[in-house]
Amino acid sequence: MDTALRPPVIARPPPTRHVGLLARLRKSLFADWKNALATVIVVALLVRWVPEFYNWAVVRSVTQPDNDACRALDHAGACWGVIAEKYRLILFGRYPFDEQWRPLVATLLMVAMLVASCTRVLWSRWLIAAWIAVLAIFFVLMRGGVAGLAPVETARWGGVPLTMLLSTLSIAAGFPIAVLVALGRRSHLPAIRSMCIVYVELIRGVPLISVLFMASFMFPLFMPPGISVDVLVRVLVGITLFSAAYLAEVVRGGLQAIPKGQHEAAAAMGLSYWQTQRKIILPQALRMVVPSIMNSFISTFKDTSLVTIVSLYDLTGSLALALGGDANWRQFYLEGYLFIAAIYWGFCFAMSRYSQWVERRLNVANAH
Amino acid sequence: MAVIAAAIWFLAHNTLENMRVRGIQSGFGFLAQPAGFDIGESAFAFDSGEPYWKAFLVGLSNTLRAALVGIVLTTILGTLIGIGRLSRNFLVRGLCTGYVELFRNIPVLIQLLMWYTVLNGDWLPPASEALHPLPGIFLSKSGMSFPVPEWEQGHGVSLAGFAIGIVVAWLYRRWARSAFEKTGVARPMVWPALLIACAGALLGWLAGGAPTALEMPVRNDLNVSGGGAVTPEFLAVTLGLTIYTASFVAEIVRSGIQSVSWGQTEAAGALGLSRAQALKLVLLPQALRVIIPPLTNQYLNLTKNSSLAVAVGYPDLVSISNTTLNQTGRAVECITILMAVYLTLSLVTAALMNWYNARSAIRER
Amino acid sequence: MSSSIEEFPMRTSTLQVIAATSLALAAGTFAASAYAGKTLDAVKQRDQVVCGVNTGLAGFSAADSQGNWVGLDVDICKAIAAAVLGDAKKVKWVPLNAQQRFTALQSGEVDILSRNTTFTLTRDASLGLFMTAVTYYDGQGFIVPKKSKITSAKQLKNAEICVQSGTTTEKNLTDYFKSINVKMKPVVFEGFEASVKAFFAGRCQAYTTDASGLASIRNKEAPKPDDYLILPELISKEPLGPMVRRGDDEWFTIVKWAIYALLEAEEYGLTQANVDQMKSSTEPPIQRMLGTTEDTGKLLGLDKEWAYREIKAVGNYGEIFERNVGPQSALKLPRGLNNLWNKGGLQYAPPIR
């Protein structure tokens, strides 16, 4: 090309209609009439409700535990004073007031262990030993009776420590059962296979509340007369059996994803059934289903709120305990619910974010 | 095997021994005895003199009522939100994402209780001063009352007409589809079918004598009586379950739509299909394969979660079973009935969805 | 395929152990069946009476914020602990809701159920439990907001009435309205708190439970007690009293006579304050009761000062009533039917001799 004849054209910026923040906004919000309509509706809703909610929750609210000020509000604003007044009863249930540092420490330890279990760096044999140690410390702290701590019976445990205990123990105890049931479902022996199928389908087909009723009403009848089982243990057994059934399905999914070649190679190497499972199959399968196990944990954590129906005072039940018997504060139930909903939301959201992160990392790792 | 058999025998023996020693009676004979309690709301008339098994039936009908309404609403809401999460509009996308993250992470029991507290709140008047926004409609803390048609012969004929209309509509769709295959002329499928079904109902109604008698709710000194009512308990259960399950359904729908490869959308565009046509003819059938199994799961979860209605005072199956258990002391029998019913519901729903799944599976060559 | 033995190499020994254990436990079942008759031994060995009470019903059994239990049912249990073990503080309190109470007693979780439970045929005959003695003659009533201008239960036509499930209350409600041929709609709640909360939120036009419970609710739970009215009709008989398990006649007799002793004490003028100096009384019935002449306790399986300790710990029935539910307490209930037989009431204790 003869560049001398044609002067070079200086590059011009793109037309403003298609670039810049305003253009992006227009493309996103007003691309066609349906989008524009949706934008208008959403903006109208937000403008109508968000300032109203902010006013109710923050501006006009009362944060001091002042019952008269709260009543004077007459629902024009939120009465966060009910939380300021009752937060210890809500968070710790009927645990003796002076000893409430113990469930606090126990809960923090448990949460720290959960966070530690989530960092891959720390996955080793020592983690299991640490878990057993932390569980033992948890029980000792809550139960008391040794090392100069006053004994506190299990009927008085409640609030956040109880929720954490129920969800963690039921997953921890349900996990070995789930693995055994998942293996049993794939076994060649018809008796074991049918029993495992019956167990899983039965538990998955009924609501948790009926399992809890069965545990709390019928469990005592199953035991020989004279042996009375603690209510907490009964409910724990019920929730454990329930979560084990769902975990069994999750583990079975992982087992099904292991290529047959692995089984054949293990057999070729002369490994027995249990050696194959322990050394080859289960490590791969479990690593694959870690996100699903996390989801199960989140579900179990939410499901522990049901124990309030069998009169165990977990976080939901302790709210009823705190506000139900108190005529002065009873009309502020909504603020109480928002408080415990926020606590549940915080835990579950963090856990679900973590499980999504794990899933992404696994997908990256698995994509060769 | 022997271990497990021994364990089961051990448990059964203990139970029977305990019951004998303590003089607790067993057997299902109590089901024929008069119930002795009234039920707050039910789809059909129930009196305290009727037997226990009828009370269980009322409980089951209440559960099904809440579950079916919940399933329909949650499918609609969940699909809308799932599609909204993929929208180009970042406001809509953000709102839907916020919805899903918020309601997925709060336990369903707390959501039910919160809705019930709100519905019982002070913004509605007590029943004695019910609002009367429209003729025949009353709104108060005790729920919403509306006029219902009084059941007469003519309504039965109308229902028969509706059934015939559905059959004719189905025949029309078959004819339209085969005509399309032969001639390539696309005929509308949805509107004519709906029109035919409604026409069938209308003709049936006319043929039955056009009954128009309505049972109107009446406000008296205490509250509103008569007519049909939607109680705050039913509303709380349905709303709470719908909103909770919709957040899961939204995720399922979203992942289903995203599972269809982008090439399909591009190819549909290349063929000249509009976005709506592409969605209906290309994307949704493929997405449904991925959506149906987890969706089944969510329907089952909703049905099972409806058992929590006992906490808000809705007389569903669990609540009735509880009352019976307390009045007769037959814990084992009542809980067995409860679990058997839920198990049946779960298996039926799973079987239905498996049939649908098999029918819509892509037959690979 | 490999044979099953190779697949489960560890099966044999574990199987033997498990089979042996379960057979041993099963054998233990037969031996343990006889346990049901030995509550007194268990209580003495444990050195504690396990008492099932209400989770929180003011006047009958409620825990204050320090965790101390007070109430009429609570005092009965304290009296029994004093009679059997010598110390009214040797009680373990197990709060139970309406659904759990009978199973807890049936299973052995509690020794005695002192939880404002009504004495009915079904409960006496088919639950494997026995009623002991009536500690409170009650009846079921209604509470309404004064705003509704209702003054009689007969005016509750088409009303929605909040009621708690799992109690005799539901059945009585339907029976009563059937008998007066008035329609109403029950709104049934699972727990006490839920039902009370719904009533005070305005969901229903009336609330029904035992009249003593109504007084307790009006004074403790209502935001403004004066806005509520307890209707005059008592629609049922509700004799309340503690329950024990069947098959243990010894424990049944002890509990029954412990309650009768409280009534006899009031009849003969023994109070918490004067019981010590009454020990030197010369009246034969008092001497028998306090163990100065005869040893009635031996026949029950206790020692001779069983009644003395009871009265010293909690006072006589009248004092228990006054302290917890009487006109001087927060509930302000009149003695009414719960007065002694010679003062116009129904409380009649068989003689201790």
Side-chain angles (χ1 to χ4, degrees):
Chain A
M1 280 286 180
D2 205 89
T3 53
L5 291 176
R6 277 174 272 260
V9 177
I10 310 165
R12 283 173 292 185
T16 47
R17 261 183 70 90
H18 294 281
V19 86
L21 180 63
L22 214 54
R24 277 214 302 275
L25 271 179
R26 192 181 314 133
K27 207 159 52 150
S28 154
L29 297 179
F30 296 101
D32 58 9
W33 70 270
K34 283 200 283 260
N35 246 333
L37 185 63
T39 308
V40 164
I41 293 179
V42 169
V43 169
L45 284 176
L46 288 178
V47 161
R48 173 76 180 85
W49 290 112
V50 170
E52 184 69 39
F53 182 72
Y54 183 72
N55 269 335
W56 179 82
V58 180
V59 171
R60 290 196 290 251
S61 67
V62 168
T63 38
Q64 298 308 312
D66 186 352
N67 190 246
D68 297 318
C70 272
R71 285 202 195 200
L73 273 181
D74 201 20
H75 293 291
C79 172
W80 303 116
V82 69
I83 309 295
E85 168 86 16
K86 300 262 180 189
Y87 74 95
R88 283 180 78 157
L89 200 52
I90 297 176
L91 288 178
F92 297 113
R94 286 190 309 140
Y95 211 85
F97 205 73
D98 305 317
E99 311 273 340
Q100 278 178 358
W101 63 268
R102 283 160 52 186
L104 183 64
V105 169
T107 314
L108 287 175
L109 261 180
M110 187 85 94
V111 171
M113 269 315 288
L114 279 171
V115 171
S117 310
C118 292
T119 36
R120 282 192 84 167
V121 189
L122 297 171
W123 282 0
S124 74
R125 279 251 146 98
W126 295 110
L127 193 64
I128 302 190
W131 259 114
I132 299 181
V134 164
L135 278 176
I137 297 179
F138 185 91
F139 274 109
V140 164
L141 269 179
M142 294 286 288
R143 194 85 173 76
V146 294
L149 299 168
V152 178
E153 62 215 5
T154 56
R156 300 198 69 156
W157 298 6
V160 177
L162 190 64
T163 304
M164 294 247 64
L165 178 70
L166 284 174
S167 32
T168 318
L169 265 191
S170 69
I171 293 279
F175 194 72
I177 302 178
V179 169
L180 286 175
V181 170
L183 289 174
R185 233 184 127 145
R186 289 162 54 83
S187 136
H188 299 297
L189 300 165
I192 294 191
R193 192 170 63 235
S194 46
M195 207 130 25
C196 291
I197 293 181
V198 164
Y199 166 69
V200 170
E201 293 306 323
L202 179 71
I203 299 285
R204 272 164 38 110
V206 295
L208 175 58
I209 194 169
S210 67
V211 174
L212 286 178
F213 276 152
M214 196 176 77
S216 81
F217 284 134
M218 286 165 50
F219 205 84
L221 293 177
F222 289 155
M223 291 292 116
I227 300 182
S228 87
V229 184
D230 199 32
V231 139
L232 183 62
V233 172
R234 270 183 260 158
V235 166
L236 204 54
V237 167
I239 302 188
T240 305
L241 287 177
F242 192 77
S243 51
Y246 283 85
L247 273 178
E249 282 299 282
V250 164
V251 172
R252 188 171 74 103
L255 287 175
Q256 274 177 337
I258 304 285
K260 228 169 147 4
Q262 300 282 315
H263 293 267
E264 292 168 346
M269 282 175 56
L271 297 174
S272 78
Y273 177 79
W274 286 109
Q275 280 175 324
T276 321
Q277 300 302 329
R278 211 159 48 94
K279 292 195 184 299
I280 313 284
I281 307 293
L282 281 180
Q284 296 183 53
L286 294 179
R287 203 166 293 147
M288 238 189 281
V289 296
V290 163
S292 304
I293 295 181
M294 291 257 13
N295 280 340
S296 280
F297 186 73
I298 298 174
S299 296
T300 309
F301 188 79
K302 288 188 293 183
D303 284 340
T304 57
S305 61
L306 265 65
V307 302
T308 180
I309 298 188
V310 286
S311 293
L312 218 56
Y313 296 112
D314 76 312
L315 194 53
T316 319
S318 61
L319 179 70
L321 194 68
L323 292 184
D326 194 339
N328 291 332
W329 291 103
R330 193 190 290 122
Q331 50 248 71
F332 306 111
Y333 246 111
L334 191 60
E335 287 85 344
Y337 281 134
L338 285 173
F339 177 60
I340 54 176
I343 296 180
Y344 275 113
W345 186 85
F347 272 112
C348 293
F349 186 67
M351 288 192 281
S352 72
R353 272 275 167 248
Y354 171 71
S355 93
Q356 281 170 11
W357 175 80
V358 165
E359 203 168 350
R360 270 201 301 271
R361 282 199 55 165
L362 279 180
N363 284 342
V364 165
N366 280 346
H368 298 299
Chain B
M1 277 55 64
V3 172
I4 301 172
I8 295 178
W9 174 86
F10 173 64
L11 287 179
H13 173 88
N14 269 342
T15 316
L16 291 173
E17 180 68 22
N18 281 331
M19 289 170 70
R20 188 190 65 78
V21 163
R22 293 167 190 160
I24 302 168
Q25 311 190 332
S26 69
F28 286 93
F30 72 96
L31 285 174
Q33 288 167 12
F37 57 90
D38 269 338
I39 300 179
E41 58 177 296
S42 90
F44 49 90
F46 179 80
D47 185 60
S48 60
E50 313 235 25
Y52 279 114
W53 62 263
K54 202 146 182 224
F56 273 105
L57 219 55
V58 171
L60 181 61
S61 76
N62 280 339
T63 299
L64 286 177
R65 215 160 40 115
L68 284 173
V69 172
I71 286 179
V72 166
L73 288 179
T74 207
T75 313
I76 299 173
L77 185 63
T79 314
L80 286 176
I81 295 183
I83 297 179
R85 273 198 77 165
L86 297 169
S87 158
R88 264 184 298 181
N89 189 329
F90 74 83
L91 277 181
V92 171
R93 204 169 53 226
L95 205 64
C96 292
T97 311
Y99 175 95
V100 168
E101 288 302 329
L102 181 65
F103 288 106
R104 204 164 53 150
N105 289 320
I106 301 179
V108 63
L109 181 63
I110 296 186
Q111 295 191 33
L112 284 182
L113 291 172
M114 274 207 279
W115 281 111
Y116 192 60
T117 312
V118 165
L119 284 169
N120 262 350
D122 287 330
W123 55 281
L124 274 178
S128 44
E129 305 149 14
L131 298 172
H132 195 148
L134 295 168
I137 308 240
F138 288 95
L139 203 56
S140 74
K141 267 199 235 220
S142 304
M144 186 172 75
S145 294
F146 47 84
V148 285
E150 280 189 17
W151 186 260
E152 284 179 41
Q153 192 84 344
H155 291 104
V157 182
S158 171
L159 268 183
F162 186 62
I164 296 175
I166 290 184
V167 170
V168 173
W170 179 73
L171 285 171
Y172 165 79
R173 281 175 64 105
R174 264 181 53 146
W175 170 81
R177 202 172 296 140
S178 67
F180 173 69
E181 308 259 312
K182 281 199 211 116
T183 64
V185 175
R187 286 193 171 72
M189 297 278 265
V190 181
W191 295 113
L194 277 177
L195 269 175
I196 293 174
C198 290
L202 190 65
L203 286 173
W205 182 71
L206 284 172
T212 49
L214 285 178
E215 190 192 336
M216 303 286 282
V218 165
R219 178 164 62 191
N220 51 31
D221 284 333
L222 279 180
N223 59 10
V224 178
S225 58
V230 170
T231 57
E233 286 85 30
F234 178 77
L235 266 181
V237 169
T238 320
L239 261 181
L241 286 177
T242 304
I243 292 184
Y244 176 75
T245 319
S247 63
F248 289 92
V249 172
E251 281 300 280
I252 293 171
V253 167
R254 180 183 69 94
S255 69
I257 294 180
Q258 279 181 329
S259 75
V260 181
S261 71
W262 182 241
Q264 299 282 314
T265 319
E266 290 176 329
L271 280 178
L273 298 175
S274 73
R275 259 190 82 109
Q277 280 175 320
L279 201 64
K280 195 177 75 131
L281 295 170
V282 176
L283 295 177
L284 270 185
Q286 297 184 57
L288 276 178
R289 270 175 61 230
V290 179
I291 290 177
I292 295 291
L295 194 63
T296 318
N297 230 11
Q298 288 309 319
Y299 287 166
L300 281 177
N301 279 345
L302 189 139
T303 313
K304 287 187 289 178
N305 281 338
S306 72
S307 62
L308 293 177
V310 73
V312 294
Y314 181 65
D316 76 321
L317 187 63
V318 174
S319 166
I320 305 276
S321 163
N322 230 15
T323 312
T324 311
L325 194 156
N326 283 304
Q327 285 202 351
T328 58
R330 309 287 178 89
V332 180
E333 289 86 348
C334 283
I335 296 187
T336 314
I337 295 178
L338 186 66
M339 291 176 87
V341 170
Y342 271 108
L343 203 57
T344 316
L345 280 176
S346 304
L347 292 176
V348 163
T349 316
L352 273 176
M353 279 301 166
N354 276 340
W355 167 80
Y356 183 84
N357 209 15
R359 208 187 70 133
S360 64
I362 291 183
R363 285 168 207 82
E364 299 191 332
R365 273 178 266 263
Chain C
M1 286 287 125
S2 48
S3 78
S4 24
I5 295 186
E6 275 166 26
E7 278 184 5
F8 299 99
M10 66 174 211
R11 230 186 66 185
T12 332
S13 52
T14 331
L15 181 58
Q16 282 172 344
V17 169
I18 296 175
T21 321
S22 41
L23 281 175
L25 281 175
T29 315
F30 290 100
S33 305
Y35 175 84
K38 292 288 173 280
T39 316
L40 180 62
D41 290 344
V43 165
K44 280 189 174 157
Q45 194 193 33
R46 213 189 298 132
D47 201 33
Q48 206 184 37
V49 175
V50 181
C51 188
V53 290
N54 201 320
T55 48
L57 184 63
F60 285 85
S61 46
D64 64 14
S65 42
Q66 266 74 46
N68 301 321
W69 289 88
V70 289
L72 190 129
D73 290 329
V74 163
D75 279 346
I76 301 288
C77 269
K78 283 185 181 165
I80 294 171
V84 176
L85 298 171
D87 186 355
K89 292 196 196 44
K90 288 188 177 166
V91 188
K92 177 171 157 190
W93 305 104
V94 179
L96 299 165
N97 66 17
Q99 282 79 21
Q100 304 163 311
R101 49 184 166 162
F102 298 125
T103 342
L105 184 59
Q106 286 164 347
S107 69
E109 195 182 327
V110 298
D111 299 317
I112 174 174
L113 181 69
S114 187
R115 194 209 172 273
N116 55 291
T117 309
T118 313
F119 189 359
T120 67
L121 180 139
T122 321
R123 289 172 180 180
D124 207 31
S126 76
L127 291 181
L129 307 171
F130 268 147
M131 296 290 307
T132 48
V134 179
T135 50
Y136 192 91
Y137 287 96
D138 206 354
Q140 187 172 326
F142 298 94
I143 186 172
V144 293
K146 280 193 184 147
K147 235 177 8 166
S148 64
K149 300 200 186 43
I150 297 179
T151 48
S152 153
K154 298 192 180 54
Q155 296 169 350
L156 287 170
K157 186 164 167 3
N158 286 324
E160 286 165 320
I161 306 186
C162 283
V163 65
Q164 190 195 348
S165 100
T167 56
T168 49
T169 324
E170 275 183 272
K171 204 162 184 163
N172 294 336
L173 188 66
T174 41
D175 287 349
Y176 174 69
F177 279 99
K178 223 171 172 182
S179 71
I180 60 171
N181 221 352
V182 169
K183 283 182 80 62
M184 60 90 210
K185 254 179 27 149
V187 185
V188 181
F189 291 91
E190 191 59 24
F192 174 69
E193 289 91 9
S195 53
V196 163
K197 176 175 153 208
F199 172 65
F200 287 118
R203 170 72 181 84
C204 337
Q205 289 80 50
Y207 183 79
T208 180
T209 183
D210 298 342
S212 55
L214 290 178
S216 154
I217 289 170
R218 195 175 88 136
N219 279 323
K220 288 294 169 75
E221 316 276 351
K224 284 202 210 109
D226 291 326
D227 284 347
Y228 294 92
L229 172 70
I230 299 182
L231 297 179
E233 282 92 346
L234 285 182
I235 66 172
S236 73
K237 290 188 289 201
E238 304 286 326
L240 309 176
M243 293 182 84
V244 295
R245 278 183 292 278
R246 269 200 194 206
D248 192 346
D249 298 337
E250 197 183 25
W251 184 244
F252 169 63
T253 317
I254 291 175
V255 172
K256 203 165 58 157
W257 284 100
I259 299 172
Y260 289 149
L262 296 171
L263 291 167
E264 282 278 271
E266 192 190 356
E267 206 175 311
Y268 286 101
L270 300 172
T271 67
Q272 200 174 19
N274 71 10
V275 68
D276 277 318
Q277 73 197 94
M278 281 299 209
K279 262 187 142 169
S280 50
S281 154
T282 48
E283 278 183 66
I286 300 182
Q287 285 177 328
R288 268 196 294 271
M289 231 192 302
L290 298 181
T292 35
T293 49
E294 262 176 61
D295 186 358
T296 45
K298 197 166 54 162
L299 305 167
L300 291 172
L302 310 169
D303 69 341
K304 68 177 179 179
E305 298 215 318
W306 63 281
Y308 163 75
R309 285 198 298 267
E310 265 194 285
I311 304 165
K312 186 99 178 90
V314 294
N316 63 34
Y317 179 78
E319 290 181 289
I320 296 177
F321 192 96
E322 292 293 318
R323 185 188 316 139
N324 292 301
V325 299
Q328 309 301 323
S329 74
L331 265 60
K332 300 188 185 39
L333 291 168
R335 259 330 260 280
L337 289 173
N338 292 298
N339 220 332
L340 292 177
W341 60 282
N342 50 12
K343 299 217 179 90
L346 291 177
Q347 291 289 12
Y348 187 111
I352 296 187
R353 64 165 183 265

